[in-house]
PDB file of all heavy atoms in Angstrom:
ATOM      1  N   GLN A1109       4.496  -0.172  25.212  1.00 81.00           N
ATOM      2  CA  GLN A1109       5.102   0.639  24.170  1.00 81.00           C
ATOM      3  C   GLN A1109       6.370  -0.016  23.611  1.00 81.00           C
ATOM      4  O   GLN A1109       6.615   0.007  22.410  1.00 81.00           O
ATOM      5  CB  GLN A1109       5.423   2.034  24.702  1.00 81.00           C
ATOM      6  CG  GLN A1109       4.190   2.891  24.946  1.00 81.00           C
ATOM      7  CD  GLN A1109       4.529   4.236  25.555  1.00 81.00           C
ATOM      8  OE1 GLN A1109       5.594   4.396  26.145  1.00 81.00           O
ATOM      9  NE2 GLN A1109       3.606   5.189  25.439  1.00 81.00           N
ATOM     10  N   GLN A1110       7.156  -0.602  24.507  1.00 79.00           N
ATOM     11  CA  GLN A1110       8.356  -1.288  24.042  1.00 79.00           C
ATOM     12  C   GLN A1110       7.998  -2.457  23.137  1.00 79.00           C
ATOM     13  O   GLN A1110       8.638  -2.686  22.099  1.00 79.00           O
ATOM     14  CB  GLN A1110       9.171  -1.773  25.246  1.00 79.00           C
ATOM     15  CG  GLN A1110       9.805  -0.639  26.063  1.00 79.00           C
ATOM     16  CD  GLN A1110      10.479  -1.135  27.327  1.00 79.00           C
ATOM     17  OE1 GLN A1110      10.570  -2.336  27.546  1.00 79.00           O
ATOM     18  NE2 GLN A1110      10.923  -0.211  28.157  1.00 79.00           N
ATOM     19  N   ARG A1111       6.978  -3.227  23.550  1.00 84.00           N
ATOM     20  CA  ARG A1111       6.571  -4.368  22.741  1.00 84.00           C
ATOM     21  C   ARG A1111       6.014  -3.903  21.386  1.00 84.00           C
ATOM     22  O   ARG A1111       6.325  -4.492  20.342  1.00 84.00           O
ATOM     23  CB  ARG A1111       5.517  -5.176  23.501  1.00 84.00           C
ATOM     24  CG  ARG A1111       5.020  -6.413  22.750  1.00 84.00           C
ATOM     25  CD  ARG A1111       6.157  -7.391  22.496  1.00 84.00           C
ATOM     26  NE  ARG A1111       6.766  -7.830  23.727  1.00 84.00           N
ATOM     27  CZ  ARG A1111       6.317  -8.862  24.459  1.00 84.00           C
ATOM     28  NH1 ARG A1111       5.254  -9.537  24.045  1.00 84.00           N
ATOM     29  NH2 ARG A1111       6.923  -9.211  25.563  1.00 84.00           N
ATOM     30  N   ILE A1112       5.199  -2.850  21.398  1.00 86.00           N
ATOM     31  CA  ILE A1112       4.644  -2.319  20.148  1.00 86.00           C
ATOM     32  C   ILE A1112       5.759  -1.814  19.242  1.00 86.00           C
ATOM     33  O   ILE A1112       5.753  -2.043  18.028  1.00 86.00           O
ATOM     34  CB  ILE A1112       3.628  -1.196  20.442  1.00 86.00           C
ATOM     35  CG1 ILE A1112       2.380  -1.779  21.123  1.00 86.00           C
ATOM     36  CG2 ILE A1112       3.243  -0.461  19.162  1.00 86.00           C
ATOM     37  CD1 ILE A1112       1.394  -0.729  21.566  1.00 86.00           C
ATOM     38  N   ARG A1113       6.730  -1.124  19.846  1.00 77.00           N
ATOM     39  CA  ARG A1113       7.836  -0.585  19.057  1.00 77.00           C
ATOM     40  C   ARG A1113       8.637  -1.702  18.391  1.00 77.00           C
ATOM     41  O   ARG A1113       9.005  -1.616  17.215  1.00 77.00           O
ATOM     42  CB  ARG A1113       8.730   0.268  19.948  1.00 77.00           C
ATOM     43  CG  ARG A1113       9.741   1.114  19.192  1.00 77.00           C
ATOM     44  CD  ARG A1113      10.551   1.969  20.146  1.00 77.00           C
ATOM     45  NE  ARG A1113       9.689   2.896  20.858  1.00 77.00           N
ATOM     46  CZ  ARG A1113       9.406   2.803  22.163  1.00 77.00           C
ATOM     47  NH1 ARG A1113       9.922   1.822  22.881  1.00 77.00           N
ATOM     48  NH2 ARG A1113       8.627   3.695  22.733  1.00 77.00           N
ATOM     49  N   ALA A1114       8.901  -2.762  19.156  1.00 78.00           N
ATOM     50  CA  ALA A1114       9.647  -3.883  18.584  1.00 78.00           C
ATOM     51  C   ALA A1114       8.862  -4.548  17.464  1.00 78.00           C
ATOM     52  O   ALA A1114       9.414  -4.894  16.405  1.00 78.00           O
ATOM     53  CB  ALA A1114       9.966  -4.893  19.683  1.00 78.00           C
ATOM     54  N   ASN A1115       7.554  -4.719  17.678  1.00 83.00           N
ATOM     55  CA  ASN A1115       6.719  -5.324  16.636  1.00 83.00           C
ATOM     56  C   ASN A1115       6.632  -4.445  15.398  1.00 83.00           C
ATOM     57  O   ASN A1115       6.595  -4.933  14.260  1.00 83.00           O
ATOM     58  CB  ASN A1115       5.319  -5.611  17.184  1.00 83.00           C
ATOM     59  CG  ASN A1115       5.315  -6.739  18.212  1.00 83.00           C
ATOM     60  OD1 ASN A1115       6.227  -7.579  18.225  1.00 83.00           O
ATOM     61  ND2 ASN A1115       4.325  -6.762  19.082  1.00 83.00           N
ATOM     62  N   GLN A1116       6.576  -3.117  15.624  1.00 78.00           N
ATOM     63  CA  GLN A1116       6.530  -2.207  14.487  1.00 78.00           C
ATOM     64  C   GLN A1116       7.806  -2.277  13.658  1.00 78.00           C
ATOM     65  O   GLN A1116       7.763  -2.259  12.419  1.00 78.00           O
ATOM     66  CB  GLN A1116       6.306  -0.775  14.971  1.00 78.00           C
ATOM     67  CG  GLN A1116       4.884  -0.498  15.437  1.00 78.00           C
ATOM     68  CD  GLN A1116       4.718   0.905  15.969  1.00 78.00           C
ATOM     69  OE1 GLN A1116       5.698   1.540  16.379  1.00 78.00           O
ATOM     70  NE2 GLN A1116       3.484   1.383  16.002  1.00 78.00           N
ATOM     71  N   GLN A1117       8.945  -2.352  14.335  1.00 75.00           N
ATOM     72  CA  GLN A1117      10.205  -2.468  13.605  1.00 75.00           C
ATOM     73  C   GLN A1117      10.261  -3.764  12.812  1.00 75.00           C
ATOM     74  O   GLN A1117      10.705  -3.790  11.656  1.00 75.00           O
ATOM     75  CB  GLN A1117      11.373  -2.392  14.588  1.00 75.00           C
ATOM     76  CG  GLN A1117      11.544  -1.007  15.230  1.00 75.00           C
ATOM     77  CD  GLN A1117      12.637  -0.989  16.274  1.00 75.00           C
ATOM     78  OE1 GLN A1117      13.147  -2.032  16.670  1.00 75.00           O
ATOM     79  NE2 GLN A1117      12.983   0.210  16.734  1.00 75.00           N
ATOM     80  N   ASN A1118       9.788  -4.851  13.437  1.00 77.00           N
ATOM     81  CA  ASN A1118       9.768  -6.131  12.745  1.00 77.00           C
ATOM     82  C   ASN A1118       8.817  -6.093  11.551  1.00 77.00           C
ATOM     83  O   ASN A1118       9.114  -6.600  10.462  1.00 77.00           O
ATOM     84  CB  ASN A1118       9.353  -7.233  13.726  1.00 77.00           C
ATOM     85  CG  ASN A1118       9.518  -8.624  13.125  1.00 77.00           C
ATOM     86  OD1 ASN A1118      10.413  -8.875  12.321  1.00 77.00           O
ATOM     87  ND2 ASN A1118       8.646  -9.538  13.508  1.00 77.00           N
ATOM     88  N   LEU A1119       7.662  -5.432  11.754  1.00 80.00           N
ATOM     89  CA  LEU A1119       6.681  -5.316  10.671  1.00 80.00           C
ATOM     90  C   LEU A1119       7.230  -4.483   9.524  1.00 80.00           C
ATOM     91  O   LEU A1119       7.025  -4.812   8.349  1.00 80.00           O
ATOM     92  CB  LEU A1119       5.390  -4.691  11.209  1.00 80.00           C
ATOM     93  CG  LEU A1119       4.262  -4.477  10.204  1.00 80.00           C
ATOM     94  CD1 LEU A1119       3.824  -5.818   9.619  1.00 80.00           C
ATOM     95  CD2 LEU A1119       3.086  -3.770  10.862  1.00 80.00           C
ATOM     96  N   THR A1120       7.942  -3.406   9.852  1.00 72.00           N
ATOM     97  CA  THR A1120       8.530  -2.565   8.806  1.00 72.00           C
ATOM     98  C   THR A1120       9.548  -3.349   7.988  1.00 72.00           C
ATOM     99  O   THR A1120       9.610  -3.236   6.753  1.00 72.00           O
ATOM    100  CB  THR A1120       9.207  -1.336   9.436  1.00 72.00           C
ATOM    101  OG1 THR A1120       8.221  -0.593  10.168  1.00 72.00           O
ATOM    102  CG2 THR A1120       9.816  -0.440   8.373  1.00 72.00           C
ATOM    103  N   HIS A1121      10.338  -4.160   8.695  1.00 68.00           N
ATOM    104  CA  HIS A1121      11.340  -4.976   8.001  1.00 68.00           C
ATOM    105  C   HIS A1121      10.676  -5.973   7.063  1.00 68.00           C
ATOM    106  O   HIS A1121      11.079  -6.147   5.906  1.00 68.00           O
ATOM    107  CB  HIS A1121      12.220  -5.705   9.026  1.00 68.00           C
ATOM    108  CG  HIS A1121      13.224  -6.641   8.407  1.00 68.00           C
ATOM    109  ND1 HIS A1121      14.292  -6.191   7.672  1.00 68.00           N
ATOM    110  CD2 HIS A1121      13.289  -8.004   8.420  1.00 68.00           C
ATOM    111  CE1 HIS A1121      14.992  -7.236   7.239  1.00 68.00           C
ATOM    112  NE2 HIS A1121      14.407  -8.347   7.678  1.00 68.00           N
ATOM    113  N   LEU A1122       9.613  -6.624   7.557  1.00 72.00           N
ATOM    114  CA  LEU A1122       8.913  -7.602   6.721  1.00 72.00           C
ATOM    115  C   LEU A1122       8.192  -6.923   5.563  1.00 72.00           C
ATOM    116  O   LEU A1122       8.143  -7.459   4.447  1.00 72.00           O
ATOM    117  CB  LEU A1122       7.917  -8.390   7.579  1.00 72.00           C
ATOM    118  CG  LEU A1122       8.533  -9.305   8.654  1.00 72.00           C
ATOM    119  CD1 LEU A1122       7.441  -9.932   9.501  1.00 72.00           C
ATOM    120  CD2 LEU A1122       9.398 -10.383   8.018  1.00 72.00           C
ATOM    121  N   SER A1123       7.627  -5.727   5.830  1.00 68.00           N
ATOM    122  CA  SER A1123       6.891  -5.017   4.780  1.00 68.00           C
ATOM    123  C   SER A1123       7.804  -4.610   3.637  1.00 68.00           C
ATOM    124  O   SER A1123       7.391  -4.581   2.473  1.00 68.00           O
ATOM    125  CB  SER A1123       6.205  -3.776   5.363  1.00 68.00           C
ATOM    126  OG  SER A1123       5.263  -4.147   6.344  1.00 68.00           O
ATOM    127  N   SER A1124       9.050  -4.261   3.965  1.00 61.00           N
ATOM    128  CA  SER A1124       9.993  -3.864   2.914  1.00 61.00           C
ATOM    129  C   SER A1124      10.328  -5.024   1.983  1.00 61.00           C
ATOM    130  O   SER A1124      10.751  -4.828   0.845  1.00 61.00           O
ATOM    131  CB  SER A1124      11.268  -3.301   3.543  1.00 61.00           C
ATOM    132  OG  SER A1124      11.932  -4.306   4.282  1.00 61.00           O
ATOM    133  N   ARG A1125      10.149  -6.250   2.481  1.00 61.00           N
ATOM    134  CA  ARG A1125      10.451  -7.425   1.659  1.00 61.00           C
ATOM    135  C   ARG A1125       9.220  -7.954   0.925  1.00 61.00           C
ATOM    136  O   ARG A1125       9.348  -8.767   0.006  1.00 61.00           O
ATOM    137  CB  ARG A1125      11.023  -8.541   2.553  1.00 61.00           C
ATOM    138  CG  ARG A1125      12.297  -8.127   3.274  1.00 61.00           C
ATOM    139  CD  ARG A1125      12.719  -9.183   4.271  1.00 61.00           C
ATOM    140  NE  ARG A1125      12.906 -10.487   3.643  1.00 61.00           N
ATOM    141  CZ  ARG A1125      13.104 -11.631   4.316  1.00 61.00           C
ATOM    142  NH1 ARG A1125      13.161 -11.618   5.634  1.00 61.00           N
ATOM    143  NH2 ARG A1125      13.247 -12.783   3.675  1.00 61.00           N
ATOM    144  N   LEU A1126       8.069  -7.523   1.344  1.00 63.00           N
ATOM    145  CA  LEU A1126       6.834  -8.062   0.772  1.00 63.00           C
ATOM    146  C   LEU A1126       6.184  -7.023  -0.134  1.00 63.00           C
ATOM    147  O   LEU A1126       5.962  -5.889   0.283  1.00 63.00           O
ATOM    148  CB  LEU A1126       5.860  -8.446   1.895  1.00 63.00           C
ATOM    149  CG  LEU A1126       4.483  -8.962   1.459  1.00 63.00           C
ATOM    150  CD1 LEU A1126       4.642 -10.295   0.717  1.00 63.00           C
ATOM    151  CD2 LEU A1126       3.568  -9.129   2.664  1.00 63.00           C
ATOM    152  N   ARG A1127       5.897  -7.396  -1.342  1.00 60.00           N
ATOM    153  CA  ARG A1127       5.173  -6.518  -2.259  1.00 60.00           C
ATOM    154  C   ARG A1127       3.690  -6.720  -2.046  1.00 60.00           C
ATOM    155  O   ARG A1127       3.158  -7.816  -2.249  1.00 60.00           O
ATOM    156  CB  ARG A1127       5.549  -6.833  -3.710  1.00 60.00           C
ATOM    157  CG  ARG A1127       6.976  -6.462  -4.056  1.00 60.00           C
ATOM    158  CD  ARG A1127       7.216  -6.571  -5.533  1.00 60.00           C
ATOM    159  NE  ARG A1127       6.415  -5.606  -6.240  1.00 60.00           N
ATOM    160  CZ  ARG A1127       5.871  -5.851  -7.435  1.00 60.00           C
ATOM    161  NH1 ARG A1127       6.039  -7.009  -8.015  1.00 60.00           N
ATOM    162  NH2 ARG A1127       5.146  -4.929  -8.029  1.00 60.00           N
ATOM    163  N   HIS A1128       3.029  -5.668  -1.642  1.00 63.00           N
ATOM    164  CA  HIS A1128       1.608  -5.759  -1.286  1.00 63.00           C
ATOM    165  C   HIS A1128       0.751  -5.917  -2.547  1.00 63.00           C
ATOM    166  O   HIS A1128       0.949  -5.198  -3.534  1.00 63.00           O
ATOM    167  CB  HIS A1128       1.183  -4.498  -0.530  1.00 63.00           C
ATOM    168  CG  HIS A1128      -0.084  -4.665   0.238  1.00 63.00           C
ATOM    169  ND1 HIS A1128      -1.307  -4.655  -0.361  1.00 63.00           N
ATOM    170  CD2 HIS A1128      -0.299  -4.854   1.569  1.00 63.00           C
ATOM    171  CE1 HIS A1128      -2.247  -4.832   0.545  1.00 63.00           C
ATOM    172  NE2 HIS A1128      -1.662  -4.952   1.729  1.00 63.00           N
ATOM    173  N   PRO A1129      -0.197  -6.879  -2.542  1.00 69.00           N
ATOM    174  CA  PRO A1129      -1.063  -7.023  -3.727  1.00 69.00           C
ATOM    175  C   PRO A1129      -1.928  -5.798  -3.981  1.00 69.00           C
ATOM    176  O   PRO A1129      -2.472  -5.637  -5.070  1.00 69.00           O
ATOM    177  CB  PRO A1129      -1.921  -8.250  -3.380  1.00 69.00           C
ATOM    178  CG  PRO A1129      -1.864  -8.365  -1.892  1.00 69.00           C
ATOM    179  CD  PRO A1129      -0.508  -7.873  -1.494  1.00 69.00           C
ATOM    180  N   GLY A1130      -2.047  -4.945  -2.976  1.00 69.00           N
ATOM    181  CA  GLY A1130      -2.850  -3.735  -3.164  1.00 69.00           C
ATOM    182  C   GLY A1130      -2.248  -2.754  -4.145  1.00 69.00           C
ATOM    183  O   GLY A1130      -2.930  -1.832  -4.608  1.00 69.00           O
ATOM    184  N   GLN A1131      -0.954  -2.929  -4.495  1.00 68.00           N
ATOM    185  CA  GLN A1131      -0.326  -2.015  -5.449  1.00 68.00           C
ATOM    186  C   GLN A1131      -0.993  -2.117  -6.825  1.00 68.00           C
ATOM    187  O   GLN A1131      -1.195  -1.110  -7.498  1.00 68.00           O
ATOM    188  CB  GLN A1131       1.160  -2.322  -5.550  1.00 68.00           C
ATOM    189  CG  GLN A1131       1.935  -2.016  -4.274  1.00 68.00           C
ATOM    190  CD  GLN A1131       3.404  -2.339  -4.399  1.00 68.00           C
ATOM    191  OE1 GLN A1131       3.874  -2.721  -5.475  1.00 68.00           O
ATOM    192  NE2 GLN A1131       4.148  -2.199  -3.310  1.00 68.00           N
ATOM    193  N   GLN A1132      -1.297  -3.364  -7.225  1.00 69.00           N
ATOM    194  CA  GLN A1132      -1.991  -3.528  -8.500  1.00 69.00           C
ATOM    195  C   GLN A1132      -3.378  -2.911  -8.439  1.00 69.00           C
ATOM    196  O   GLN A1132      -3.854  -2.285  -9.397  1.00 69.00           O
ATOM    197  CB  GLN A1132      -2.099  -5.021  -8.838  1.00 69.00           C
ATOM    198  CG  GLN A1132      -2.665  -5.305 -10.226  1.00 69.00           C
ATOM    199  CD  GLN A1132      -1.746  -4.832 -11.342  1.00 69.00           C
ATOM    200  OE1 GLN A1132      -0.544  -4.686 -11.153  1.00 69.00           O
ATOM    201  NE2 GLN A1132      -2.311  -4.599 -12.516  1.00 69.00           N
ATOM    202  N   LEU A1133      -4.027  -3.061  -7.278  1.00 77.00           N
ATOM    203  CA  LEU A1133      -5.349  -2.452  -7.101  1.00 77.00           C
ATOM    204  C   LEU A1133      -5.255  -0.931  -7.168  1.00 77.00           C
ATOM    205  O   LEU A1133      -6.134  -0.268  -7.720  1.00 77.00           O
ATOM    206  CB  LEU A1133      -5.933  -2.893  -5.754  1.00 77.00           C
ATOM    207  CG  LEU A1133      -7.306  -2.319  -5.378  1.00 77.00           C
ATOM    208  CD1 LEU A1133      -8.353  -2.723  -6.410  1.00 77.00           C
ATOM    209  CD2 LEU A1133      -7.725  -2.788  -3.993  1.00 77.00           C
ATOM    210  N   GLN A1134      -4.186  -0.372  -6.616  1.00 75.00           N
ATOM    211  CA  GLN A1134      -4.002   1.084  -6.675  1.00 75.00           C
ATOM    212  C   GLN A1134      -3.857   1.553  -8.109  1.00 75.00           C
ATOM    213  O   GLN A1134      -4.377   2.619  -8.488  1.00 75.00           O
ATOM    214  CB  GLN A1134      -2.777   1.479  -5.853  1.00 75.00           C
ATOM    215  CG  GLN A1134      -2.978   1.336  -4.354  1.00 75.00           C
ATOM    216  CD  GLN A1134      -1.723   1.686  -3.574  1.00 75.00           C
ATOM    217  OE1 GLN A1134      -0.645   1.844  -4.152  1.00 75.00           O
ATOM    218  NE2 GLN A1134      -1.850   1.802  -2.268  1.00 75.00           N
ATOM    219  N   GLN A1135      -3.158   0.751  -8.939  1.00 75.00           N
ATOM    220  CA  GLN A1135      -3.044   1.099 -10.354  1.00 75.00           C
ATOM    221  C   GLN A1135      -4.418   1.149 -11.011  1.00 75.00           C
ATOM    222  O   GLN A1135      -4.739   2.073 -11.761  1.00 75.00           O
ATOM    223  CB  GLN A1135      -2.164   0.055 -11.064  1.00 75.00           C
ATOM    224  CG  GLN A1135      -0.682   0.176 -10.751  1.00 75.00           C
ATOM    225  CD  GLN A1135       0.012   1.172 -11.666  1.00 75.00           C
ATOM    226  OE1 GLN A1135      -0.536   1.585 -12.676  1.00 75.00           O
ATOM    227  NE2 GLN A1135       1.222   1.562 -11.295  1.00 75.00           N
ATOM    228  N   LYS A1136      -5.246   0.137 -10.705  1.00 77.00           N
ATOM    229  CA  LYS A1136      -6.579   0.096 -11.287  1.00 77.00           C
ATOM    230  C   LYS A1136      -7.443   1.252 -10.774  1.00 77.00           C
ATOM    231  O   LYS A1136      -8.238   1.838 -11.532  1.00 77.00           O
ATOM    232  CB  LYS A1136      -7.248  -1.250 -10.972  1.00 77.00           C
ATOM    233  CG  LYS A1136      -6.522  -2.458 -11.563  1.00 77.00           C
ATOM    234  CD  LYS A1136      -6.450  -2.365 -13.095  1.00 77.00           C
ATOM    235  CE  LYS A1136      -5.761  -3.581 -13.680  1.00 77.00           C
ATOM    236  NZ  LYS A1136      -5.623  -3.478 -15.163  1.00 77.00           N
ATOM    237  N   MET A1137      -7.310   1.560  -9.492  1.00 80.00           N
ATOM    238  CA  MET A1137      -8.091   2.673  -8.936  1.00 80.00           C
ATOM    239  C   MET A1137      -7.685   3.985  -9.591  1.00 80.00           C
ATOM    240  O   MET A1137      -8.528   4.825  -9.897  1.00 80.00           O
ATOM    241  CB  MET A1137      -7.896   2.747  -7.415  1.00 80.00           C
ATOM    242  CG  MET A1137      -8.575   1.624  -6.659  1.00 80.00           C
ATOM    243  SD  MET A1137      -8.617   1.888  -4.859  1.00 80.00           S
ATOM    244  CE  MET A1137      -6.881   1.894  -4.472  1.00 80.00           C
ATOM    245  N   GLN A1138      -6.385   4.160  -9.817  1.00 79.00           N
ATOM    246  CA  GLN A1138      -5.926   5.384 -10.469  1.00 79.00           C
ATOM    247  C   GLN A1138      -6.434   5.451 -11.903  1.00 79.00           C
ATOM    248  O   GLN A1138      -6.844   6.515 -12.387  1.00 79.00           O
ATOM    249  CB  GLN A1138      -4.402   5.442 -10.438  1.00 79.00           C
ATOM    250  CG  GLN A1138      -3.840   6.777 -10.938  1.00 79.00           C
ATOM    251  CD  GLN A1138      -2.350   6.884 -10.711  1.00 79.00           C
ATOM    252  OE1 GLN A1138      -1.731   5.986 -10.163  1.00 79.00           O
ATOM    253  NE2 GLN A1138      -1.769   7.980 -11.136  1.00 79.00           N
ATOM    254  N   GLN A1139      -6.429   4.290 -12.586  1.00 79.00           N
ATOM    255  CA  GLN A1139      -6.943   4.256 -13.961  1.00 79.00           C
ATOM    256  C   GLN A1139      -8.432   4.584 -13.984  1.00 79.00           C
ATOM    257  O   GLN A1139      -8.907   5.326 -14.861  1.00 79.00           O
ATOM    258  CB  GLN A1139      -6.697   2.869 -14.567  1.00 79.00           C
ATOM    259  CG  GLN A1139      -7.053   2.786 -16.056  1.00 79.00           C
ATOM    260  CD  GLN A1139      -6.679   1.438 -16.650  1.00 79.00           C
ATOM    261  OE1 GLN A1139      -6.229   0.540 -15.941  1.00 79.00           O
ATOM    262  NE2 GLN A1139      -6.858   1.297 -17.940  1.00 79.00           N
ATOM    263  N   LEU A1140      -9.171   4.055 -12.992  1.00 82.00           N
ATOM    264  CA  LEU A1140     -10.599   4.361 -12.893  1.00 82.00           C
ATOM    265  C   LEU A1140     -10.820   5.852 -12.660  1.00 82.00           C
ATOM    266  O   LEU A1140     -11.735   6.457 -13.250  1.00 82.00           O
ATOM    267  CB  LEU A1140     -11.223   3.551 -11.756  1.00 82.00           C
ATOM    268  CG  LEU A1140     -12.715   3.808 -11.470  1.00 82.00           C
ATOM    269  CD1 LEU A1140     -13.564   3.478 -12.703  1.00 82.00           C
ATOM    270  CD2 LEU A1140     -13.181   3.010 -10.264  1.00 82.00           C
ATOM    271  N   ASP A1141      -9.985   6.457 -11.832  1.00 84.00           N
ATOM    272  CA  ASP A1141     -10.110   7.899 -11.588  1.00 84.00           C
ATOM    273  C   ASP A1141      -9.866   8.696 -12.861  1.00 84.00           C
ATOM    274  O   ASP A1141     -10.554   9.693 -13.139  1.00 84.00           O
ATOM    275  CB  ASP A1141      -9.119   8.333 -10.503  1.00 84.00           C
ATOM    276  CG  ASP A1141      -9.528   7.847  -9.122  1.00 84.00           C
ATOM    277  OD1 ASP A1141     -10.699   7.460  -8.962  1.00 84.00           O
ATOM    278  OD2 ASP A1141      -8.671   7.858  -8.216  1.00 84.00           O
ATOM    279  N   GLN A1142      -8.866   8.269 -13.657  1.00 83.00           N
ATOM    280  CA  GLN A1142      -8.583   8.960 -14.914  1.00 83.00           C
ATOM    281  C   GLN A1142      -9.761   8.853 -15.875  1.00 83.00           C
ATOM    282  O   GLN A1142     -10.162   9.839 -16.517  1.00 83.00           O
ATOM    283  CB  GLN A1142      -7.319   8.366 -15.560  1.00 83.00           C
ATOM    284  CG  GLN A1142      -6.041   8.611 -14.773  1.00 83.00           C
ATOM    285  CD  GLN A1142      -5.616  10.066 -14.813  1.00 83.00           C
ATOM    286  OE1 GLN A1142      -6.028  10.824 -15.689  1.00 83.00           O
ATOM    287  NE2 GLN A1142      -4.811  10.476 -13.853  1.00 83.00           N
ATOM    288  N   LEU A1143     -10.355   7.645 -15.961  1.00 85.00           N
ATOM    289  CA  LEU A1143     -11.504   7.470 -16.845  1.00 85.00           C
ATOM    290  C   LEU A1143     -12.703   8.268 -16.350  1.00 85.00           C
ATOM    291  O   LEU A1143     -13.451   8.852 -17.148  1.00 85.00           O
ATOM    292  CB  LEU A1143     -11.862   5.981 -16.935  1.00 85.00           C
ATOM    293  CG  LEU A1143     -10.819   5.084 -17.638  1.00 85.00           C
ATOM    294  CD1 LEU A1143     -11.216   3.623 -17.532  1.00 85.00           C
ATOM    295  CD2 LEU A1143     -10.659   5.479 -19.099  1.00 85.00           C
ATOM    296  N   THR A1144     -12.892   8.289 -15.042  1.00 86.00           N
ATOM    297  CA  THR A1144     -13.987   9.082 -14.468  1.00 86.00           C
ATOM    298  C   THR A1144     -13.807  10.555 -14.776  1.00 86.00           C
ATOM    299  O   THR A1144     -14.763  11.267 -15.113  1.00 86.00           O
ATOM    300  CB  THR A1144     -14.059   8.864 -12.953  1.00 86.00           C
ATOM    301  OG1 THR A1144     -14.201   7.461 -12.689  1.00 86.00           O
ATOM    302  CG2 THR A1144     -15.233   9.617 -12.348  1.00 86.00           C
ATOM    303  N   PHE A1145     -12.566  11.018 -14.672  1.00 85.00           N
ATOM    304  CA  PHE A1145     -12.280  12.427 -14.970  1.00 85.00           C
ATOM    305  C   PHE A1145     -12.575  12.743 -16.436  1.00 85.00           C
ATOM    306  O   PHE A1145     -13.172  13.778 -16.759  1.00 85.00           O
ATOM    307  CB  PHE A1145     -10.818  12.726 -14.637  1.00 85.00           C
ATOM    308  CG  PHE A1145     -10.400  14.129 -14.970  1.00 85.00           C
ATOM    309  CD1 PHE A1145     -10.793  15.198 -14.181  1.00 85.00           C
ATOM    310  CD2 PHE A1145      -9.612  14.392 -16.086  1.00 85.00           C
ATOM    311  CE1 PHE A1145     -10.422  16.493 -14.500  1.00 85.00           C
ATOM    312  CE2 PHE A1145      -9.242  15.677 -16.417  1.00 85.00           C
ATOM    313  CZ  PHE A1145      -9.647  16.729 -15.603  1.00 85.00           C
ATOM    314  N   ARG A1146     -12.170  11.818 -17.341  1.00 86.00           N
ATOM    315  CA  ARG A1146     -12.435  12.041 -18.757  1.00 86.00           C
ATOM    316  C   ARG A1146     -13.929  12.023 -19.048  1.00 86.00           C
ATOM    317  O   ARG A1146     -14.439  12.832 -19.844  1.00 86.00           O
ATOM    318  CB  ARG A1146     -11.733  10.957 -19.574  1.00 86.00           C
ATOM    319  CG  ARG A1146     -10.210  11.090 -19.603  1.00 86.00           C
ATOM    320  CD  ARG A1146      -9.561   9.878 -20.252  1.00 86.00           C
ATOM    321  NE  ARG A1146     -10.044   9.670 -21.608  1.00 86.00           N
ATOM    322  CZ  ARG A1146      -9.745   8.602 -22.350  1.00 86.00           C
ATOM    323  NH1 ARG A1146      -8.968   7.659 -21.840  1.00 86.00           N
ATOM    324  NH2 ARG A1146     -10.225   8.488 -23.577  1.00 86.00           N
ATOM    325  N   LEU A1147     -14.674  11.121 -18.381  1.00 87.00           N
ATOM    326  CA  LEU A1147     -16.120  11.061 -18.571  1.00 87.00           C
ATOM    327  C   LEU A1147     -16.779  12.347 -18.087  1.00 87.00           C
ATOM    328  O   LEU A1147     -17.655  12.908 -18.759  1.00 87.00           O
ATOM    329  CB  LEU A1147     -16.690   9.849 -17.823  1.00 87.00           C
ATOM    330  CG  LEU A1147     -18.226   9.692 -17.860  1.00 87.00           C
ATOM    331  CD1 LEU A1147     -18.706   9.534 -19.305  1.00 87.00           C
ATOM    332  CD2 LEU A1147     -18.658   8.511 -17.008  1.00 87.00           C
ATOM    333  N   ASN A1148     -16.358  12.811 -16.911  1.00 87.00           N
ATOM    334  CA  ASN A1148     -16.937  14.054 -16.378  1.00 87.00           C
ATOM    335  C   ASN A1148     -16.631  15.238 -17.288  1.00 87.00           C
ATOM    336  O   ASN A1148     -17.476  16.122 -17.495  1.00 87.00           O
ATOM    337  CB  ASN A1148     -16.390  14.318 -14.967  1.00 87.00           C
ATOM    338  CG  ASN A1148     -16.901  13.318 -13.952  1.00 87.00           C
ATOM    339  OD1 ASN A1148     -17.958  12.704 -14.157  1.00 87.00           O
ATOM    340  ND2 ASN A1148     -16.174  13.129 -12.870  1.00 87.00           N
TER     341      ASN A1148
END
């Protein structure tokens, strides 16, 4: 648990500095949902 906790803190620190490429994908997924809603 101590090792996991330390790794999690390190991962959180690194994640705050790294912009995940999935953010652009989330934008596209949201746009697809909007178009699907309009089609329906």
Side-chain angles (χ1 to χ4, degrees):
Q1109 289 176 339
Q1110 291 174 6
R1111 180 62 59 86
I1112 292 174
R1113 192 178 298 110
N1115 290 337
Q1116 286 177 338
Q1117 292 176 349
N1118 189 33
L1119 179 61
T1120 300
H1121 176 69
L1122 294 175
S1123 298
S1124 64
R1125 300 173 57 189
L1126 177 65
R1127 291 190 65 216
H1128 198 283
Q1131 293 180 5
Q1132 187 66 23
L1133 178 60
Q1134 289 178 349
Q1135 286 274 346
K1136 298 300 181 183
M1137 288 191 297
Q1138 187 172 359
Q1139 187 175 4
L1140 177 60
D1141 288 344
Q1142 294 290 340
L1143 293 174
T1144 304
F1145 177 75
R1146 289 172 58 187
L1147 177 61
N1148 291 337

